[in-house]
Amino acid sequence: MKRLRKLANKYRRQRGSALLVSLMVMVGLSLLGLGFVAITETESGISVNERNTAQALAGAETGARAVVEWFQDTDWSRDRDLLPGNLNAFKTERRFPANPGLDGYYKPNATSLLFDKPYKGDVSHRFYGDGDLNPPTADVWIYRGKNADSDTFLQDLNTALFMPDSAHREWVRISDIRVYAPPVPGATRNANGFWEGGAARYGVATIRVTAQKVTGTDCYAAAANCRVVAERNVKSVLAETPFPTVDGAIETSGTLVGQGNFHVYWGKVLSEKDIRLARPAYGMPWVDAKNYLPFEYGYDSARPREANKLYVAGALYSPDGDVVMANATALAADSELLKFSYKATAVTGNTDPGDPGAAAWPKVIDQSWTDGGVTWTAIASKPFPFDADFYHSADWRAQLIDRQLEDPWLHVRARQDVTYHNSGIVPCSQPLAPHPCDYNNANLNPASRYSNFFQWQITTDPGDRPDRVEVVFPTMDYEFWKAVAQSGNNENGVYYFKYADPVANNHNEFIGPAGQRKHISEWINAMKNGLGAGFYFFDTRNSKNPQFNRGGTLTPSFAINAAVGGPFQLQGYVYLNAENFGTTGAGNAAPIELYAMPGEPFRDVGYREVDDSIPADLKFRLEPSTGTLPSADYVIRGRGNGIWDFQDVKPNLKFDIFLKKVTTLDRPDGSSVTDAWVPVPFFEGCTPGDNDTVGANCSEPHEPYVNFIYPDITDAMGAATVGWSDPTVTGATVANFRKPKVRSLLDPNVPGVTCTDISSQAECTSNAYDEDGAMVRLQPYLWGALYNEGGYDGSGNVYYYGALLMRSHFRATGTPHVFFNECLARGCLEDQLKLQRVTTTSWQTD
């Protein structure tokens, strides 16, 4: 009992410490709980930050891919309101102190779509800025807060691309878009932040897109309480997809044999040997192996004032505004007079003017002097003055007007001789000359002379007017194009096909996408193979290079047979390594649809830029801009860039052509045309517009071109007539000269529009320049280009729309018809067939 009492006393003494221990345990557990809560909150915060960052990155990637689509399919982007308009508000003015001729904006013509082809050529189509500078000099720079146009565009773009979380007031938005120069090795950045010089460009452009994760109310409208919680950017370099460039309907390094009736339309025929042309046709007149007849002379020209001419008041030099250059003696003494023309502003009598010296002619615009009985007032010179040289001596535009050309685009070039109708010699006075039918005499009718035939083109003559430009077959490099095909991974329209079982297989089966094994005739049919249009590379039998004796073995010959099940059509670019390709009677498997004829010829000589800063007083821009005539020079835009150019002075996003009616138009050959409509070129102080524009009296500045009246939709083999049509005609008669340029979206065998006098230039051929010709009906088994390391050996009647390139020979015992698709040379086949224009060569995230 005593022991029990001791134990009880002991436990009573320990009650206080138990309470303390209990309290300590409770505090510890509480602290531990609070720690877990803090850790949970921290992890939650980290998770939220990671989510915000990931969402911002996803937004930047989405925006970057949208910008890639601006390049990839500009029309698609525009039609969905994803493409920024061509506004200077989005662009950076480029400055090059050492080369002011490069100054200006990216794609300054407001009618051009930003990021559309061309990607090269004239400086206006290239990117020179640096988007990584602070501040950047990106050629196109759109960011929040820059200006109202930028804010509006970004708000619309964000609305189209993202779905805002209005319930939680959380948003992802694109805040900054920059498009600028691609990497250019060796280039230097000038003081204004633009790249100059350097070697070949590594791509088309660099794009950089920044996106933000924001919280707040209606952050698209830049609300004051909008808070940025994450920001990421993506930078990518774009390069043009390296599709082949083809500039002829038939090209071969062998003989073009005319055993059959190989008929070629609308393009070049080229052979490294001889050509027997089954279908000769009169084309555009060529004055040498490099140049069309220079029809800019007469388009906007003036003659030197002739010495010892008697004036008849109101007739020879009338106050209606006849224009001359200074007389030849004065021009020889003072070259600065070439920058002026002189307009007759008064005729007072019949006087012998003599031969005045250079000092007599004023070199200040609007100053006048009296030359005998005529008062001449100085104006800006005509850009293409006549002189004694044959090229520049005559009104070559008038020589062409109202002529019917059998095939304006056909021309033939061979390293050996050219004959026509399979056996006849070209009927010209110099049958053995490199240019046997040279257009060298103003008395020649350009519509009845084969000046589009060239032979013995074994070298290139020096100078700007060569009789010979060497014919070289454009061999497709096997190693390069095989690498392109294999790098495509059978995606995005780029396909590689390996010959199946090179030892035992003699049936032309190839292994393609997804490891499938099919006959080549199945693979190449884009209408049924599940692949569609693209670049198709069919390898050799042993997968080795067949060129330059490197051991490659060509696959067996094959032909398209009439029994093939339709629909059937090759679409895009097809690279074959077959012994022979051809047909054995094509039948009716190919679809009958509408296809575009080539566009109208133009002279790539540039145009004088107009200073449109004062719309009421339009004058030619001078370089440098602060200079005056005669020390300054006119600014020329677009010269030698391979595309037709004009300046949208009006502006209304289209080319405005103003025509006048000439009662009698004299040709250099002595004949004449009555009641001809011709363009009125821009002149200082005029009002540009078309003939429906009130007060208009001139055209917008543009490069010279010849207008065509195209054949009807059912006459693919028809001739084109040179000339402009009466712009006042309305009603059903308009269909005689305005022809559809677009297919129906529902039925490609039907025009997409009925042409009227108010139809747009994009829909119908017109008096304005038509880059695309009229639609005509064809049934082609090829829409694109086919290259074969072997030859062509076929029979039967078959149509091709595009080009055939054979490293070996052309033999046919039928009537193959090849219609050249000009888009192969202009780079627009990708648009027609929706091929990939650009590829992404790098993709970086911050």
Side-chain angles (χ1 to χ4, degrees), residues 429-567:
S429 57
Q430 298 176 296
L432 300 180
H435 193 186
C437 302
D438 189 11
Y439 194 87
N440 55 7
N441 189 319
N443 293 321
L444 298 172
N445 182 348
S448 60
R449 186 170 178 83
Y450 292 114
S451 62
N452 50 335
F453 283 18
F454 301 90
Q455 62 186 7
W456 302 108
Q457 302 290 299
I458 57 177
T459 188
T460 298
D461 295 334
D464 294 330
R465 305 175 186 180
D467 279 339
R468 295 176 295 182
V469 172
E470 184 178 4
V471 165
V472 178
F473 177 68
T475 299
M476 303 270 283
D477 184 86
Y478 169 90
E479 300 290 355
F480 174 80
W481 291 108
K482 180 176 180 177
V484 168
Q486 290 179 326
S487 66
N489 295 319
N490 289 328
E491 297 175 350
N492 299 322
V494 179
Y495 307 110
Y496 171 79
F497 300 88
K498 180 179 175 62
Y499 193 74
D501 194 355
V503 176
N505 172 30
N506 289 306
H507 304 290
N508 262 330
E509 292 181 334
F510 285 80
I511 299 172
Q516 297 183 74
R517 177 170 172 162
K518 297 180 183 179
H519 190 273
I520 188 171
S521 295
E522 294 183 67
W523 280 127
I524 63 176
N525 185 5
M527 303 195 76
K528 294 180 70 174
N529 62 13
L531 304 176
F535 175 69
Y536 291 69
F537 184 93
F538 292 89
D539 210 344
T540 58
R541 183 189 284 260
N542 57 359
S543 299
K544 293 183 179 180
N545 190 344
Q547 299 170 348
F548 313 113
N549 299 315
R550 293 179 183 174
T553 304
L554 299 183
T555 58
S557 301
F558 78 100
I560 301 173
N561 191 280
V564 66

Side-chain angles (χ1 to χ4, degrees), residues 23-56:
L23 289 174
M24 292 178 63
V25 170
M26 292 177 62
V27 170
L29 291 174
S30 298
L31 291 174
L32 184 60
L34 291 173
F36 280 122
V37 170
I39 291 172
T40 301
E41 290 180 350
T42 301
E43 290 296 328
S44 177
I46 293 172
S47 176
V48 170
N49 290 337
E50 288 181 348
R51 182 198 65 188
N52 291 339
T53 301
Q55 288 176 338

Side-chain angles (χ1 to χ4, degrees), residues 7 30 68 71 85 105 141 224 282 390 542-543 578 634 728 740 778 804 827:
L7 287 174
S30 298
V68 172
F71 288 86
Y105 291 97
W141 186 20
Y282 300 114
F390 175 75
N542 57 359
S543 299
Y634 300 103
T728 65
L778 295 172
L804 297 176

